[in-house]
Amino acid sequence: MSHPRHSTTALAAVCLAALMFGLEISSVPVILPILEARLHADFQDMQWIMNAYTIACTSVLMATGTLADRYGRRRVFALTVLAFGLASLLCGLAPDTPLLIAARFLQGMAGGAMFICSIAILSHQFPEGPPRARAFAIWGVVAGIGLGFGPVIGGAIVAVASWQWVFVAHAPLALLGLVLIFLGVEESSDPQAKRQRIDLGGILTMTAAVLGLTTLITQGGSFGWTSPAVLALLAITVAGLVGFVIAERVHPHPMFDFSVFRIRDFSGAILGCVGMNCSYWPFMIYLPLYFSAGLGYDVAATGLALLAYTVPFLVMPPIAQWMLLRHAARVVIPMGLFTIGVGFLLMLLGSRFTAEVTWAVLPGALVAGIGLGLTTTPATSMTTASVPPHRAGMASGMDVSARLVTLALNIAVMGLLLVGGILAALDGSLGTAIDSAQLNTLAERLAGGDAAGARQTLAAVLPPEAAAATVHAAVTQGFGGVMLYGCVTAWLTALSSWLVLRSSRRSHSHTATPAAASTAPSSQLASQPPCWNAKEPAADPAAAPMK
């Protein structure tokens, strides 16, 4: 064990990294309308500003663990924190949208690597017992603060400075993190890791498939669904998926070992992770735009309103833990997903009354956050607890990858539904008063939160009051479709998870199974030793409300 003072400093370094990682996910959506205006970005650009980060995170998850084990976890952690600070600085200095998207991709690579390294550092610095459980609990709370209060912090930064500082603020934080790393983090490595090959084929093919499918969803309409560009994207996506399956079957240490899906507890838990990222987390990107375009909130009010959506999942994990001790995760996970769906349904119903009561969607947002808090800890715990210990690291990697890939795809899907719903509403209201090209542009501007610009455009063909009513009706219909999608996907994954886990209970009713560990407290699960290869069990990040 390291000196207690050094361990405290190491914990501070890891928590600071978790805070930066969480803030960069949840603070950026609040400033998207500002980016649209200042950088002359369109709606698809804003989708890519968010998706570049999540896709890049996915592309480095498995490689980072192997590199850290080979060349030293402290060394790689320090390099990733430095890279995150530099990439954040590049984001703040970006003069246009393409450079910002490129910088966000670099920032996502650094952020994903930093996140993975932080788990390894915690696992080595706190190898066992109550100190380990306490360290993971503190780390999870700090990460949750970054995710939960990011919208408020982002809004406050914009209010007192400019949008650039939402990114640039991470540069001095990264320097502070480097100081803490060199003062408190011990160096460690795994000699066995040098014998293993990085699953480069899996990384490249999965990234190609996700990029291809995301581009297809976001750009297919503008390219034309039968155009050569769309057919080429479809070919890249299919080739990437086929190549990924082949790469994972032939690699001795694959990122995804498909055989674990035969373990029903694992499959049910992964469905829980997917459900959260088909509904709650991608809508986190669009909810600030709804508050802006649909309800007329400014940046500060948007940040405060988002607290109803984000704060509940910070206070729910103890309740979820209490429920785990009394009911199996196979009960809590479907219940949490179902609650998320109820929240989206309540938001959909509330959106019908926002003309009279602007806060009508907030109760639904609160319920959705409660559902996320019920789902996160059990799903994360069960992915590692349901597999043999020597496969826990691989299971944890599959968990995080499934979340990020699903998140990236559903950001694109929700964007497609949003623009389509607004376009249908405008077309029904305006008919031939505006040509189709202008109508598409108007729909994308509204989806991006530019309600004032849309009203100004409509003022040429409608009286001011009619223009405002048309804009509000279009935004309500467009976001209503997205809310319905979030409700349906949450309920479908809840049902699927319940059926899979129910079958698992029946098949193991007379035998002891690893799934029983899923009812253990997350503090017990977090007492497992670190893993970045198939020979060691993983550090369980159950305490972290990670996406």
Side-chain angles (χ1 to χ4, degrees):
M1 287 288 293
S2 59
H3 191 279
R5 184 176 59 187
H6 291 169
S7 294
T8 302
T9 307
L11 179 60
V14 170
C15 287
L16 182 59
L19 181 67
M20 290 192 293
F21 183 79
L23 284 174
E24 203 54 28
I25 292 173
S26 62
S27 63
V28 175
V30 178
I31 67 170
L32 289 179
I34 297 175
L35 295 178
E36 181 187 29
R38 302 289 171 81
L39 299 181
H40 306 290
D42 59 24
F43 181 67
Q44 294 172 350
D45 290 332
M46 291 190 290
Q47 287 181 294
W48 279 112
I49 288 171
M50 294 304 304
N51 258 340
Y53 189 87
T54 56
I55 293 172
C57 282
T58 307
S59 68
V60 300
L61 289 176
M62 304 307 292
T64 302
T66 303
L67 292 173
D69 281 351
R70 286 185 179 186
Y71 302 111
R73 298 175 183 120
R74 173 186 169 183
R75 180 180 293 112
V76 175
F77 184 42
L79 288 174
T80 59
V81 171
L82 176 62
F84 188 82
L86 292 174
S88 299
L89 191 60
L90 288 176
C91 289
L93 297 176
D96 53 41
T97 303
L99 287 178
L100 177 57
I101 293 172
R104 282 283 285 171
F105 193 87
L106 294 176
Q107 189 188 39
M109 292 179 67
M114 181 175 68
F115 178 82
I116 289 296
C117 285
S118 67
I119 301 175
I121 295 295
L122 275 184
S123 301
H124 173 76
Q125 205 91 16
F126 302 91
E128 60 185 9
R132 177 189 177 91
R134 203 160 39 244
F136 269 97
I138 294 171
W139 176 71
V141 168
V142 173
I145 290 172
L147 289 167
F149 289 89
V152 175
I153 294 172
I157 291 174
V158 170
V160 301
S162 65
W163 68 264
Q164 287 91 343
W165 280 97
V166 174
F167 300 106
V168 173
H170 293 290
L173 291 177
L175 289 177
L176 175 60
L178 288 174
V179 173
L180 295 174
I181 289 169
F182 288 115
L183 289 178
V185 175
E186 296 177 347
E187 186 59 279
S188 62
S189 61
D190 178 12
Q192 295 183 1
K194 296 182 179 180
R195 305 172 192 170
Q196 298 181 2
R197 290 189 294 112
I198 297 175
D199 185 9
L200 187 60
I203 293 170
L204 294 178
T205 52
M206 183 174 69
T207 303
V210 174
L211 278 172
L213 185 56
T214 304
T215 307
L216 187 65
I217 295 170
T218 56
Q219 308 287 338
S222 59
F223 289 155
W225 292 106
T226 59
S227 65
V230 166
L231 295 177
L233 285 171
L234 182 61
I236 290 171
T237 302
V238 173
L241 289 173
V242 173
F244 178 69
V245 173
I246 294 173
E248 300 312 280
R249 292 199 176 277
V250 301
H251 198 280
H253 303 284
M255 293 168 53
F256 275 62
D257 182 354
F258 294 105
S259 66
V260 298
F261 285 109
R262 297 171 189 164
I263 304 173
R264 289 184 174 271
D265 284 345
F266 177 83
S267 297
I270 286 293
L271 283 169
C273 299
V274 167
M276 292 184 288
N277 288 279
C278 285
S279 53
Y280 182 95
W281 285 115
F283 194 59
M284 176 78 172
I285 310 303
Y286 297 105
L287 191 54
L289 301 178
Y290 175 68
F291 287 149
S292 172
L295 305 182
Y297 291 178
D298 59 20
V299 174
T302 295
L304 291 173
L306 281 172
L307 289 178
Y309 194 64
T310 58
V311 168
F313 83 84
L314 292 179
V315 300
M316 287 305 297
I319 299 175
Q321 194 63 57
W322 176 84
M323 295 181 67
L324 276 176
L325 293 174
R326 286 154 182 80
H327 307 282
R330 61 178 59 92
V331 174
V332 182
I333 292 173
M335 182 187 299
L337 291 175
F338 181 79
T339 304
I340 292 175
V342 171
F344 272 83
L345 180 60
L346 291 176
M347 282 192 283
L348 173 59
L349 296 176
S351 68
R352 300 293 187 260
F353 302 99
T354 51
E356 297 82 20
V357 184
T358 57
W359 51 263
V361 297
L362 297 185
L366 184 71
V367 172
I370 290 172
L372 182 80
L374 288 175
T375 311
T376 297
T377 297
T380 305
S381 302
M382 203 171 195
T383 52
T384 51
S386 60
V387 301
H390 69 278
R391 307 176 86 180
M394 177 272 305
S396 181
M398 291 178 69
D399 174 5
V400 177
S401 297
R403 295 178 191 230
L404 292 175
V405 170
T406 308
L407 174 63
L409 294 179
N410 279 279
I411 288 174
V413 170
M414 283 190 174
L416 184 67
L417 292 174
L418 177 58
V419 174
I422 293 175
L423 183 60
L426 291 174
D427 188 43
S429 299
L430 300 174
T432 58
I434 296 180
D435 63 53
S436 59
Q438 285 182 306
L439 209 59
N440 285 323
T441 302
L442 185 61
E444 290 197 353
R445 290 181 69 179
L446 269 178
D450 187 10
R455 285 193 295 268
Q456 185 176 0
T457 300
L458 289 177
V461 295
L462 293 174
E465 290 186 2
T470 300
V471 166
H472 184 269
V475 170
T476 299
Q477 179 171 321
F479 277 94
V482 177
M483 293 169 186
L484 180 61
Y485 174 81
C487 172
V488 171
T489 53
W491 281 353
L492 286 176
T493 49
L495 177 62
S496 301
S497 178
W498 180 76
L499 290 173
V500 170
L501 295 172
R502 182 168 175 261
S503 299
S504 171
R505 181 180 182 181
R506 286 180 174 179
S507 62
H508 298 294
S509 59
H510 300 293
T511 59
T513 68
S518 65
T519 60
S522 59
S523 59
Q524 295 176 11
L525 293 167
S527 64
Q528 299 174 359
C531 172
W532 299 112
N533 55 58
K535 298 184 180 294
E536 295 178 289
D540 180 22
M546 219 284 296
K547 287 192 313 178

